[in-house]
Amino acid sequence: MSQYKIEAGTGQHIGDRHEQQDRVGLFAAPHAPGYMMAVVADGMGGKSGGALAAEQVVRTAKQLFDEFYPGNDVQQLLENILNEAHTIIKLTAVSSEKEPHSTFVALVITPQQEAIWAHAGDSRLYRFSGPNFSEKTRDHSYVERLVDEGKILPEEAKTHKLSNILINVLGSTNVSPSISVGKYVNLKVGDSFLLCTDGLWHYFENTELSAAVAANTPRQASELLIRKARDRGTPRGDNCTFAIIKLIEPPPEVKNYTAEKIRRAV
């Protein structure tokens, strides 16, 4: 019996924008029991263009995960999703005369108690241990580079006038996207993950996110986080999209048999 049960959910709000350009998905692998995937994409590129790009990321992720088998390389799967989605988004730009782009963040949980993730852009993955923040991905953004170079402080990044400039996205016609990969092993009850677009993380501290996820079911946490994000972001709140994955105690085994007295054969 599994050492934990996976409890997951998604949340989404259009914010104060005219269109929802984020997409999110939770998938099981039909040929690989025990594997699950969460993926979040933040589309950019004007009216409908960003939505098309983000939709393509999620659609590509599902298609390739449907073809995944035990023994296949998870990191290679994530890289294939990024590269194929990037190529199709570029082709969409040619046919639609738009300039669609998208971020990408995905997580795969395996039956071997592993969590493997990858991202491009500024959509993030957070990992929590119980109520404690453990780690998060590093944004592929201009302000993050300024932080790395010591030109601004981390707390200045959120309010910097160039905070929306990304240096690594899917769909760019100038440069192919790069992928950052992370891994955590020996998963246990109490571990949890949050994948989200900047329309959520921009309004919260790490400790607030970890506390909200730990103290609630994914659905309850989604309602709480959306409500808080709207309170803090109105009237200029961005699209807000996220997925929550929690590892909880498995239900007790239920006996589905009855014992009867054995009669002596004559």
Side-chain angles (χ1 to χ4, degrees):
M1 191 171 184
S2 175
Q3 297 179 7
Y4 51 75
K5 177 184 176 182
I6 298 176
E7 186 178 51
T10 64
Q12 195 166 37
H13 196 284
I14 194 171
D16 297 299
R17 301 300 175 89
H18 297 296
E19 181 184 16
Q20 175 58 266
Q21 299 196 81
D22 296 349
R23 294 293 186 271
V24 60
L26 292 171
F27 309 119
H31 304 297
Y35 287 80
M36 69 84 60
M37 172 186 285
V39 59
V40 169
D42 183 353
M44 300 157 281
K47 187 176 181 180
S48 299
L52 287 172
E55 181 69 29
Q56 188 57 61
V57 171
V58 175
R59 189 178 302 166
T60 301
K62 184 180 187 307
Q63 178 183 346
L64 295 186
F65 202 45
D66 282 348
E67 300 169 359
F68 183 84
Y69 284 83
N72 291 359
D73 187 272
V74 174
Q75 180 174 332
Q76 187 62 57
L77 165 72
L78 296 172
E79 292 177 1
N80 290 344
I81 292 170
L82 178 136
N83 291 326
E84 289 196 22
H86 168 66
T87 298
I88 298 173
I89 293 170
K90 286 201 303 178
L91 294 175
T92 302
V94 174
S95 61
S96 65
E97 298 183 349
K98 299 179 184 296
E99 295 184 5
H101 299 85
S102 181
T103 66
F104 164 75
V105 60
L107 166 72
V108 175
I109 302 291
T110 79
Q112 292 75 39
Q113 285 77 54
E114 299 173 319
I116 304 165
W117 59 86
H119 84 288
D122 66 347
S123 290
R124 294 180 178 177
L125 177 140
Y126 290 80
R127 182 174 68 84
F128 310 119
S129 179
N132 302 312
F133 165 76
S134 296
E135 63 177 313
K136 65 183 177 183
T137 53
R138 295 178 61 81
D139 301 337
H140 298 150
S141 64
Y142 180 68
V143 293
E144 193 68 50
R145 177 178 290 179
L146 294 179
V147 172
D148 291 341
E149 295 173 350
K151 295 180 179 179
I152 64 172
L153 298 174
E155 53 268 26
E156 297 177 294
K158 279 187 179 181
T159 56
H160 195 280
K161 61 181 180 180
L162 299 178
S163 61
N164 64 330
I165 303 298
L166 301 182
I167 59 175
N168 183 38
V169 292
L170 282 67
S172 172
T173 57
N174 299 320
V175 61
S176 296
S178 61
I179 190 169
S180 295
V181 178
K183 182 176 183 178
Y184 182 73
V185 299
N186 298 323
L187 291 170
K188 59 186 182 301
V189 170
D191 289 335
S192 57
F193 300 87
L194 169 68
L195 291 75
C196 61
T197 62
D198 61 338
L200 181 76
W201 63 252
H202 184 84
Y203 302 108
F204 294 91
E205 298 297 327
N206 299 335
T207 53
E208 292 181 302
L209 294 173
S210 61
V213 171
N216 299 280
T217 66
R219 178 174 179 175
Q220 293 168 337
S222 296
E223 294 172 350
L224 172 63
L225 292 173
I226 287 175
R227 185 169 63 251
K228 289 294 185 181
R230 295 299 300 134
D231 289 344
R232 298 174 181 183
T234 303
R236 290 179 291 182
D238 197 357
N239 296 160
C240 172
T241 300
F242 53 93
I244 296 171
I245 298 90
K246 299 185 67 175
L247 307 184
I248 64 173
E249 289 278 1
E253 184 177 1
V254 178
K255 295 182 179 179
N256 56 3
Y257 60 88
T258 57
E260 296 184 356
K261 184 182 293 185
I262 300 176
R263 296 181 179 181
R264 179 181 298 176
V266 178

